[in-house]
Amino acid sequence: MSEKAQLIIGGKTYEFPLVTGSEHEVAIDINDLLEKTGAITLDHGFKNTGSTKSAITFLDGDKGILRYRGYSIEELAEKSTFLEVSYLLIFGELPNKAELFKFTDEIKKHTLVHEDIKKILDGFPSTAHPMGVMASLFCSQTAFYPESLDPNRSAEGVRLSIVRSLAKMPTFAAWAYKNAVGHPVNYPDNSLDYCGRFLKMMFALPAEDYHVDPVIADALDKLLILHADHEQNCSTSTVRMVGSSKASIYSSISAGINALWGPLHGGANQEVIIMLESIRKDGGDVDKWINKAKDKNDPFRLMGFGHRVYKNFDPRAKIIKKAADDVLGKLGINDPVLEIAQRLEEVALKDSYFVERKLYPNVDFYSGIIYRALGIPVELFTVMFAMGRLPGWIAQWKEMRENKEPIGRPRQVYTGATPRPYVAIDKR
Ligand code: SDX
């Protein structure tokens, strides 16, 4: 008989089956807890709660392990490409040459967006944050492709929505940037690869030749791989929750873009650079800011540090930190905030406050330094995170739909007023 968990409530013992994953993680299956015991669980922030079974990404927070479909993030970042990793996450296996060529070619054929998108874009003032523009433009695809409103339509129809999402995201991102700087938009140049096309749409200026720097394109491709998926994080759980109501892939991912925007999640990469610049302008006194981060009466947090799951080094942070050195060296850039970041890390990792709470640099701590070196403006840093996370959101939405998961509807413990009669206004 498989092992069981026992729960004693009101002197009665209840048994629940244990579920063991392929990496030997153990969960208590409480699918009939309320029916059996009349009680629910309470778990703020779902720190101890699994929402699903998934075969996409595995991470071990204690060992600092991250694998996409069983392949280590270190190997994929070094040897693969973003579109190959996207295919792996979404379809479950690395593509062969013909499959990757077909996938890449399909994406090339859908990089253009409907001209009416410009009418939506023109409605945004240049002060609009590009994440808000992106979320709106991405969701507007439900208007241009109304057949996508049925998430259960044919496999070919779902694949077309997946291809359109990956193909148009860079166009939306670049157009959101052009809107922020008041420049005319550029159309995708399909003679270039995925990152080259994006960089040219971002930085090409009228009547100027733009040449893609391979160092920049390669660094961007690696960063997108490192952000591609991360199991049931805040934005991915949002995509799954919205998708569980049978909302379209476009509206589900638009919700994920909004969840990623928050400074505690994907928005942290923008906050890290703002923080590092503040420390630099304040004279670079790292100890002063470390003490502020430790002071419970001070709202300052060390952005880019800490993680819900990683209680060891975020493996992505290690790769990005090395890549930052490489890219700045190759581009001949000496960014003073890199040295401040390295000193912050060095001091924090020796400080008992951070050591006791197992707070290490996360994916966002060094990524902004590379984005800045690549010429990406700070208000677009989280947009870059969204571009990278897109295949993960797609893969998770697709898995949830294929597994026919029920609509997400958590319960609560009510703590409000108990029954009371209405009192007429002149008697209150
Ligand atoms: C991402 O989930 C994912 O996988 C996300 C992500 C992905 O790929 O999708 O990895 C991407 O979102 C990375 C995280 C980016 N966010 C930041 O860098 C913002 C700064 N970090 C935090 O605010 C915090 O660490 C979180 C939000 C990341 C995690 O928060 P938790 O797990 O809810 O932990 P907590 O806030 O309860 O903190 C535990 C303790 C607290 O102190 P005590 O109450 O125990 O005294 O650690 C302290 C916190 O005050 N703490 C920090 C801190 N992070 C946590 N103190 C100072 N600086 C920090 N950065």
Side-chain angles (χ1 to χ4, degrees), residues 109-129:
K109 290 190 170 79
H110 290 276
T111 53
L112 260 183
V113 296
H114 194 289
E115 273 298 290
D116 284 353
I117 289 276
K118 281 183 169 175
K119 293 175 185 166
I120 303 169
L121 190 65
D122 290 345
F124 282 101
S126 55
T127 51
H129 193 292

Side-chain angles (χ1 to χ4, degrees), residues 47 230 233-234 263-266 268 293 296 301-308 311 314 316 353-354 357 359 362-364 385 389:
K47 296 188 176 185
H230 215 239
N233 59 83
C234 174
L264 293 187
H265 192 12
K296 290 302 171 196
R301 276 205 160 186
L302 195 56
M303 298 312 277
F305 251 73
H307 198 277
R308 173 62 57 78
K311 300 311 174 191
D314 181 332
R316 302 165 296 176
Y353 173 93
F354 293 89
R357 291 167 177 79
L359 303 175
N362 60 46
V363 66
D364 295 311
F385 195 143
R389 184 53 50 89

Side-chain angles (χ1 to χ4, degrees), residues 84 87 94-105:
E84 184 176 76
Y87 187 99
L94 284 169
N96 60 33
K97 279 186 184 167
E99 288 163 334
L100 183 58
F101 177 82
K102 178 172 183 279
F103 188 57
T104 305
D105 195 51

Side-chain angles (χ1 to χ4, degrees), residues 178 183-184 186 199-206 208-210:
K178 288 301 194 184
H183 288 181
N186 291 315
L199 290 167
K200 185 171 181 182
M201 280 194 280
M202 279 283 290
F203 298 120
L205 291 172
E208 268 186 26
D209 279 343
Y210 178 83

Side-chain angles (χ1 to χ4, degrees), residues 13-151:
T13 301
Y14 302 88
E15 288 198 337
F16 298 92
L18 295 183
V19 175
T20 304
S22 53
E23 287 286 351
H24 315 298
E25 298 160 297
V26 176
I28 304 167
D29 180 339
I30 57 166
N31 275 291
D32 57 359
L33 174 74
L34 181 58
E35 184 191 332
K36 267 185 178 174
T37 70
I40 60 168
T41 58
L42 185 59
D43 184 19
H44 292 295
F46 308 115
K47 296 188 176 185
N48 307 282
T49 298
S51 59
T52 189
K53 291 178 186 174
S54 177
I56 299 169
T57 292
F58 171 72
L59 54 99
D60 181 317
D62 294 327
K63 296 179 187 149
I65 292 171
L66 172 58
R67 299 193 197 111
Y68 295 159
R69 300 283 189 182
Y71 295 95
S72 78
I73 192 66
E74 291 82 2
E75 273 210 285
L76 292 172
E78 187 191 335
K79 300 172 183 173
S80 188
T81 64
F82 178 61
L83 284 190
E84 184 176 76
V85 166
S86 298
Y87 187 99
L88 169 67
L89 286 167
I90 294 166
F91 301 107
E93 297 295 337
L94 284 169
N96 60 33
K97 279 186 184 167
E99 288 163 334
L100 183 58
F101 177 82
K102 178 172 183 279
F103 188 57
T104 305
D105 195 51
E106 283 174 306
I107 288 170
K108 272 190 183 178
K109 290 190 170 79
H110 290 276
T111 53
L112 260 183
V113 296
H114 194 289
E115 273 298 290
D116 284 353
I117 289 276
K118 281 183 169 175
K119 293 175 185 166
I120 303 169
L121 190 65
D122 290 345
F124 282 101
S126 55
T127 51
H129 193 292
M131 281 297 275
V133 176
M134 278 270 292
S136 305
L137 297 186
F138 202 93
C139 196
S140 76
Q141 295 181 96
T142 52
F144 297 100
Y145 311 111
E147 69 283 1
S148 66
L149 291 174
D150 171 9

